[in-house]
Amino acid sequence: MALFSPGEVKLLREAGRPHGWARGEILMREGEEADSVVLLTGGLVKATVDSANGYTSLLALRGPGELLGELACIDGGVRGATVTAMRRTEGVVVTADAFVRLLERDSGLCLSVLRSVVGRLRDSDGLRAEQGARTTRARVAGLLVKLAVQYGSAAPETLPGAVSVQVNQRELAAATGASRESVVRCLRAMQQEGLVATGRGRTVVLDLAGLRRWAEE
């Protein structure tokens, strides 16, 4: 819960109710009216957007300590993305009205939410800048490093020290602005170098230091 102080987490817990979602279950759906926010306390989710031509873009992965759906609750708009549980996920659901009242009453919580939003905007700006300045191989490697460090889970059954990231080839392509074919070629080269292993719906990072070197090329 690094984004929020213990007191702020306590406020959100007291204002909301605990809830759990199974893998594949949708927490929020793009285009729907925003009636609540979710403070994640466990698990992992992905935020995606569908385009008119059927293409699905992966916007982000979110984990424990992060808040979901706050922007639409603040401005009264509709959901800007679909949020789906990638494994068993737990969180605290706070209604939109209760959340806004908390922000009005507690300046510390309000500032923490603002910092969270600013951090995401910086990440988004950085990603767009990287897409034009770095090779596809460096972008894919950099994203895998980031996801492994922030949201990865141990995969000792593959190799001691290995880290599993619940992201597939299509999602990697969408998140890095590359074609799926280019991502497949990158992953194949990484596998040949012993950096990663791929499985159904996931990528296992075998050599984080080596992958970092690829990201810095």
Side-chain angles (χ1 to χ4, degrees), residues 64-205:
E66 298 193 76
L67 200 61
L68 306 174
E70 70 277 17
L71 289 181
C73 286
I74 291 172
D75 68 8
V78 297
R79 302 289 192 199
T82 296
V83 179
T84 308
M86 301 185 73
R87 54 179 180 244
R88 175 66 187 178
T89 296
E90 293 81 36
V92 177
V93 180
V94 183
T95 66
D97 289 343
F99 177 65
V100 172
R101 286 197 298 271
L102 283 178
L103 296 184
E104 291 172 341
R105 292 201 316 259
D106 193 286
S107 59
L109 177 61
C110 188
L111 185 58
S112 292
V113 170
L114 179 59
R115 286 173 175 152
S116 171
V117 172
V118 169
R120 291 177 184 177
L121 289 175
R122 288 186 186 277
D123 285 347
S124 179
D125 289 344
L127 180 60
R128 283 196 294 269
E130 287 178 357
Q131 288 180 357
R134 303 173 71 195
T135 65
T136 298
R137 191 171 91 158
R139 296 201 306 270
V140 172
L143 180 60
L144 286 174
V145 168
K146 180 178 180 180
L147 296 180
V149 171
Q150 292 186 338
Y151 306 113
S153 57
E157 72 284 356
T158 305
L159 186 75
V163 179
S164 175
V165 177
Q166 297 295 321
V167 61
N168 59 35
Q169 294 170 354
R170 185 176 64 179
E171 291 165 340
L172 282 172
T176 55
S179 68
R180 185 173 180 179
E181 292 74 18
S182 295
V183 170
V184 169
R185 287 195 295 271
C186 289
L187 291 174
R188 187 178 298 122
M190 291 174 184
Q191 285 179 289
Q192 292 172 350
E193 293 295 322
L195 301 177
V196 305
T198 59
R200 187 174 181 179
R202 72 170 187 166
T203 302
V204 181
V205 176

